[in-house]
Amino acid sequence: MPVEVIQGDITRLAVDAIVNAANEALAGGGGVDGAIHRAAGPGLDADCRRIPFVRPHVRCPTGEARITGGHALPARHVIHTVGPVWHGGNAGEAALLASCYRACLQLAAAHGLDSIAFPAISCGVFGYPLEQAARVAVAAASDWLRQQPRPARVLLCGFDARMQALYRDALARQP
Ligand code: AR6
């Protein structure tokens, strides 16, 4: 199945896992992170706190992923990843962003999950240019679907019509 592009609130999706664009402490925050924590309820924060620190203040380094339960969400799991902060494009941002998508897909596969939905990681306060981020997301998701049996459904969830259109454009330009 090709990558699916949808528009809306990721917290409403009844998929096996939704991805959270988190921070390295998995401490909650604004944007989609805040929305996911609000919709999931306090059990999600409790799960996050049980994830061990790999170094001071860091439970999930940039480009990696961690999995928790979905609690009150319609999704069964939340996969937390930390996108790169945009520093102009010469600080390894594209590789780190692609790594986020792959790490989430790998974790979903390891847990036997069949469907996963991504928000536009790094496209809010982390400042990644939207068109470039859409291209990274579509390439990473399409590569995965070509090579791996699961998750068989990968959804890219744009919060607004503009992000959805950028995903569609990137998908149309895929080889
Ligand atoms: N459903 C889908 N997408 C959403 C939703 C939603 N309910 N709400 C926002 N978005 P951001 P980042 C989109 O800033 O740039 C947090 O404080 C939003 O329109 O949430 O990776 C964390 O704790 C944008 O396109 O994530 C980190 O500190 C996209 O989600 C930091 O922000 C991502 O925007 C992470 O920054």
Side-chain angles (χ1 to χ4, degrees), residues 8-12 20-24 26-36 38 81-85 118-128 130 157-160 163 167:
D9 180 355
I10 201 166
T11 68
R12 310 291 292 273
N20 183 18
N23 50 65
E24 289 188 324
L26 302 184
V32 72
D33 194 1
I36 289 172
R38 273 193 303 278
T81 190
V82 184
V85 176
F118 287 92
I121 301 162
S122 287
C123 289
V125 296
F126 282 0
Y128 208 105
L130 306 187
C157 175
F159 198 35
D160 52 25
M163 198 68 222
Y167 284 139

Side-chain angles (χ1 to χ4, degrees), residues 7-73:
Q7 187 198 333
D9 180 355
I10 201 166
T11 68
R12 310 291 292 273
L13 300 179
V15 286
D16 291 335
I18 61 169
V19 171
N20 183 18
N23 50 65
E24 289 188 324
L26 302 184
V32 72
D33 194 1
I36 289 172
H37 275 271
R38 273 193 303 278
L44 181 61
D45 186 55
D47 273 7
C48 287
R49 286 170 190 272
R50 278 195 285 272
I51 293 172
F53 285 105
V54 295
R55 54 177 190 269
H57 312 295
V58 177
R59 289 190 167 95
C60 180
T62 300
E64 295 189 15
R66 300 289 185 273
I67 190 167
T68 65
H71 299 276
L73 291 166

Side-chain angles (χ1 to χ4, degrees), residues 62-155:
T62 300
E64 295 189 15
R66 300 289 185 273
I67 190 167
T68 65
H71 299 276
L73 291 166
R76 285 164 53 211
H77 302 275
V78 178
I79 295 180
H80 307 262
T81 190
V82 184
V85 176
W86 181 256
H87 289 297
N90 294 318
E93 293 94 334
L96 284 167
L97 187 59
S99 167
C100 287
Y101 285 90
R102 281 194 303 269
C104 292
L105 289 160
Q106 214 146 38
L107 205 47
H111 283 77
L113 308 186
D114 272 323
S115 56
I116 183 170
F118 287 92
I121 301 162
S122 287
C123 289
V125 296
F126 282 0
Y128 208 105
L130 306 187
E131 192 182 337
Q132 293 179 53
R135 268 190 260 132
V136 171
V138 163
S142 306
D143 284 351
W144 185 272
L145 287 171
R146 271 195 290 270
Q147 291 165 27
Q148 307 288 339
R150 62 167 38 138
R153 287 190 69 205
V154 179
L155 290 81

